[in-house]
Amino acid sequence: MCSRYLGFILLVWFPGALHTQSAAQPCPAPSLVNGYFLPVKETYTHDSKLTYACESPLKPAVEGWWAWSVCQNGTWSPTPRCIEEKACIPPTIDNAKYTEASEGWYEEGDIIRITCDKGYEHKDNIATARCRYGTWVSLPTCEMSTKSCSAPPKAPHAVIVDQGYQEMFPEDEGVKYECEDGYSIEGSHNYTLFCLAGIWTEGPMCSKETGRGGGHGGSAEAGTVGGHSTSSGRVTQPAGGGAGGSRPDIGHGGSVEVVPGGGHITSSDPGTQPGSGGSSSTSANRPLFTSIEHCGKHPIVPNGVVVEEKPMYLKFKCQAFYKQVGEDTVVCFSDGSWSKVPVCQDAFCVLEPGYYDQSSKVSLAMYIKEGETKHIPCPWEDWSVAVHCSNRRITHTRCCRSYYHRMVTCT
């Protein structure tokens, strides 16, 4: 009697154990058309493994000419299956996703489009792949975007909170720093840095709450964390800086020197702050990145428009027939000034009305993009004058006959 009660109590206490045992169902022999497998049995216990191959010209629906499958609670995984030799199995592409085939493989001629994960971009602008004779042609690769940042900079007397370690941070993503006990930043114990165009924005450094200290004489100060540092005309990327190698600091003139924590301060040569109005920047009032709301009205870029607006930056794009010079990303500094805006330069030629050949005439002014060639018809069929725009200057041929878009005979 006691043993029966004890058994009932165990059933009540450990229902999960019985459920686990009942869930481990055996598998029947797989139905493999045009293929064979070993070992051959009528049923297979949970976790049993079998190997299979396919009759020529078929192949397994996985990589290789032979494959294996495991019995998982009554189901074979992956399902043993033979497919056409010209079919393609799903490709493996790091940091990307694409639409999966409903049957688990792709037929000859199928095209898939790859979407890179946030913070990554298509290498060489290749985003699609085609299945040809069992392999993928021009399989795309997703690489870290030049506007993403690597790991954020290390800060003295501070740690990053609410964020686990990762090697890549997408643009506009922020990390929160918190000062250790006994340290603060003007009464606060935390601050945030943002990834902006491949560079971490700058932030103050934690100092002792009992006093700022740091009495090193001259104009030295606690410094900043993040950003770039430059000296003697060179650009140096500190540890944990942005991706894409060395690049100029956004919107800061003059030369700078490195200070502890990966930040920088302006040297004795004051330099000039670019941007709307321009303000001088010295070691005593080094401006930091801040929200664009702080700068108020957006800067104007002639022949350019804002195509993206984020809390920490604006992104411009030049209109058609104009070429962009300078960074497309504009940020706001804590002194209320904007960083240097891009310039949209003319990138077109104007074809004035008149004769460009004895038999070819332009009645109205025509705009031609830089590097573009347009054809002005001549009186004879398949004959035209080729007009080309290069370095904002017009060059043209005489009336020529074209054959498959190539000029072959001229008058």
Side-chain angles (χ1 to χ4, degrees):
M1 179 67 71
C2 292
S3 61
R4 282 171 30 185
Y5 284 147
L6 179 60
F8 174 76
I9 293 173
L10 290 175
L11 288 174
V12 174
W13 282 2
F14 304 107
L18 290 179
H19 176 74
T20 302
Q21 293 176 0
S22 63
Q25 300 294 323
C27 294
S31 176
L32 184 60
V33 180
N34 298 318
Y36 50 92
F37 56 87
L38 291 173
V40 178
K41 298 181 181 180
E42 292 186 359
T43 60
Y44 298 79
T45 59
H46 175 70
D47 279 341
S48 292
K49 181 178 178 180
L50 61 80
T51 304
Y52 74 95
C54 298
E55 301 287 354
S56 181
L58 304 180
K59 66 180 181 181
V62 293
E63 190 69 43
W65 64 268
W66 80 95
W68 54 267
S69 183
V70 178
C71 174
Q72 295 291 311
N73 297 329
T75 303
W76 290 104
S77 180
T79 303
R81 190 172 291 161
C82 295
I83 62 175
E84 294 288 336
E85 192 172 29
K86 291 183 178 181
C88 293
I89 62 174
T92 299
I93 306 176
D94 295 333
N95 308 310
K97 61 180 70 70
Y98 55 89
T99 303
E100 297 182 1
S102 58
E103 296 185 352
W105 73 90
Y106 301 84
E107 296 182 356
E108 161 78 7
D110 281 354
I111 297 176
I112 57 173
R113 181 175 182 83
I114 282 76
T115 302
C116 293
D117 295 339
K118 186 177 180 182
Y120 293 86
E121 60 189 8
H122 296 104
K123 184 177 181 181
D124 299 327
N125 293 320
I126 299 176
T128 60
R130 180 188 293 270
C131 176
R132 295 294 302 273
Y133 302 104
T135 61
W136 291 103
V137 179
S138 301
L139 194 63
T141 301
C142 292
E143 59 185 4
M144 182 174 169
S145 171
T146 56
K147 294 186 179 296
S148 297
C149 295
S150 54
K154 182 179 180 181
H157 310 296
V159 295
I160 294 176
V161 294
D162 301 330
Q163 177 66 62
Y165 177 80
Q166 59 191 65
E167 294 182 351
M168 190 280 297
F169 288 80
E171 185 178 30
D172 203 37
E173 189 162 324
V175 291
K176 184 179 180 181
Y177 287 76
E178 186 167 320
C179 300
E180 67 170 295
D181 289 344
Y183 288 79
S184 65
I185 308 162
E186 297 180 356
S188 177
H189 287 84
N190 55 67
Y191 59 93
T192 302
L193 301 187
F194 290 89
C195 174
L196 179 61
I199 306 172
W200 286 104
T201 56
E202 298 178 0
M205 290 178 61
C206 301
S207 58
K208 284 189 176 182
E209 294 180 330
T210 54
R212 292 188 174 274
H216 299 292
S219 59
E221 56 178 15
T224 54
V225 177
H228 275 55
S229 59
T230 60
S231 179
S232 303
R234 296 177 299 170
V235 178
T236 304
Q237 178 69 42
S246 302
R247 55 187 293 177
D249 192 13
I250 297 180
H252 295 295
S255 60
V256 292
E257 57 184 353
V258 179
V259 297
H264 60 267
I265 59 177
T266 313
S267 68
S268 56
D269 184 10
T272 302
Q273 171 67 43
S276 302
S279 60
S280 61
S281 174
T282 65
S283 60
N285 60 355
R286 181 72 164 90
L288 306 176
F289 292 105
T290 186
S291 170
I292 61 174
E293 294 181 355
H294 181 70
C295 285
K297 187 177 180 180
H298 293 176
I300 297 176
V301 176
N303 302 310
V305 294
V306 175
V307 293
E308 186 176 354
E309 180 177 345
K310 295 289 185 177
M312 296 298 293
Y313 67 87
L314 297 172
K315 188 170 291 185
F316 286 86
K317 182 179 181 180
C318 293
Q319 297 174 344
F321 294 95
Y322 293 90
K323 178 179 66 176
Q324 178 183 304
V325 177
E327 291 282 347
D328 62 354
T329 303
V330 178
V331 299
C332 174
F333 294 116
S334 58
D335 63 358
S337 65
W338 291 99
S339 64
K340 191 173 183 179
V341 298
V343 175
C344 295
Q345 292 183 348
D346 293 350
F348 61 89
C349 299
V350 180
L351 190 64
E352 300 291 350
Y355 282 94
Y356 283 82
D357 186 83
Q358 295 178 355
S359 304
S360 179
K361 181 180 180 181
V362 176
S363 300
L364 299 174
M366 183 183 300
Y367 289 84
I368 305 177
K369 292 182 180 180
E370 179 70 24
E372 185 180 11
T373 300
K374 288 198 173 186
H375 296 270
I376 304 172
C378 295
W380 315 287
E381 186 178 359
D382 296 331
W383 288 68
S384 63
V385 171
V387 182
H388 182 73
C389 175
S390 178
N391 296 322
R392 299 181 61 188
R393 298 186 63 180
I394 289 284
T395 57
H396 62 88
T397 66
R398 294 175 295 165
C399 275
C400 298
R401 187 175 184 179
S402 60
Y403 182 74
Y404 287 102
H405 305 290
R406 295 181 61 187
M407 297 297 189
V408 295
T409 305
C410 297
T411 59

